[in-house]
Amino acid sequence: MWDQEKYQKAIAFAGYMHKNHLVPGKEYNYVVHVSNVAAEIARLIIVEKIGNEDLAIQCALLHDVIEDTDEAKQNELKEELKKEFGDEVLGGLLALSKDDKIDKEKRMEDSIKRIKKQGKEIACVKLADRITNLQKPPDYWDKDKIKKYLDESIMIYDELNIYSDFLGSRLRDKIKEYEQYLPA
């Protein structure tokens, strides 16, 4: 069973890091999103063996802190994450973070390659993240952005569903639901 103390430490860190960050297109704090990703992982742990449950829960809660930090402060943040949560969590977070130094069209593909090297726990966090993100798109997204997000979601499913029958099934269902947002 995962360690509640590690959960509390990670959610507090995420809450601090995202204190001024809202969920895109919503009126509430981003920590709701990371909590929902962690809830997907907690549910997964009940129905499937996952391996290192603490790693998966902590990475679910912290998965966007590197990506959402100004580039000038990222090295300092990485050191702090390593000190507070260890090498394994940092490795998972680095894999989950898109590399903004490469072409935007290749970032997710690159991240998925790195996620696969980390193993099941980190792949499950990515699946849970995308499940949570497949909600009604923000009103300011145009049809091309919606289609691109759907295509990216299908790629994530195709590449990572082998890591979890439960989350793979959940993502497949969310993709089908999301198709309603494609303009005719």
Side-chain angles (χ1 to χ4, degrees):
M1 182 59 154
W2 49 278
D3 183 331
Q4 183 67 14
E5 298 299 321
K6 289 181 179 180
Y7 177 97
Q8 290 175 357
K9 183 178 180 180
I11 192 81
F13 193 94
Y16 175 76
M17 294 302 296
H18 295 296
K19 66 184 174 198
N20 298 319
H21 184 188
L22 297 178
V23 172
K26 306 292 183 188
E27 298 275 332
Y28 47 83
N29 189 276
Y30 199 78
V31 80
V32 172
H33 166 67
V34 299
S35 297
N36 285 336
V37 175
E40 289 286 343
I41 296 297
R43 178 71 176 120
L44 169 65
I45 290 167
I46 294 169
V47 298
E48 284 181 16
K49 280 203 169 281
I50 188 172
N52 187 338
E53 297 171 356
D54 286 324
L55 173 63
I57 290 283
Q58 289 175 96
C59 285
L61 293 167
L62 299 167
H63 74 273
D64 280 331
V65 296
I66 294 172
E67 202 170 279
D68 290 347
T69 296
D70 182 77
E71 188 177 348
K73 297 178 183 177
Q74 284 185 4
N75 285 336
E76 182 180 317
L77 173 62
K78 290 172 191 175
E79 287 300 317
E80 185 175 3
L81 288 165
K82 181 178 179 175
K83 178 182 169 207
E84 294 296 322
F85 300 99
D87 288 328
E88 200 170 15
V89 169
L90 177 59
L93 298 177
L94 290 171
L96 290 161
S97 299
K98 291 186 267 331
D99 183 350
D100 62 0
K101 291 178 181 76
I102 64 173
D103 181 52
K104 192 172 186 174
E105 301 301 317
K106 300 285 185 189
R107 290 178 188 171
M108 183 59 71
E109 188 178 317
D110 172 68
S111 180
I112 288 173
K113 285 179 187 174
R114 290 181 283 116
I115 287 167
K116 286 179 169 182
K117 291 177 183 174
Q118 293 291 315
K120 181 174 182 158
E121 297 89 347
I122 306 309
C124 287
V125 171
K126 186 62 196 176
L127 289 166
D129 178 40
R130 189 49 60 115
I131 289 164
T132 301
N133 282 336
L134 281 175
Q135 307 295 323
K136 182 178 186 277
D139 292 336
Y140 55 86
W141 280 18
D142 64 21
K143 64 181 179 178
D144 291 334
K145 174 77 171 168
I146 294 169
K147 174 74 168 109
K148 183 186 272 186
Y149 201 74
L150 178 63
D151 290 345
E152 189 178 82
S153 300
I154 292 167
M155 178 180 65
I156 291 167
Y157 171 80
D158 288 345
E159 293 292 326
L160 300 180
N161 81 82
I162 60 170
Y163 291 94
S164 169
D165 291 337
F166 175 73
L167 291 178
S169 175
R170 294 254 312 124
L171 181 54
R172 185 184 62 240
D173 292 346
K174 286 290 192 175
I175 288 169
K176 284 185 186 279
E177 289 174 23
Y178 194 78
E179 289 172 348
Q180 71 179 305
Y181 300 114
L182 286 176

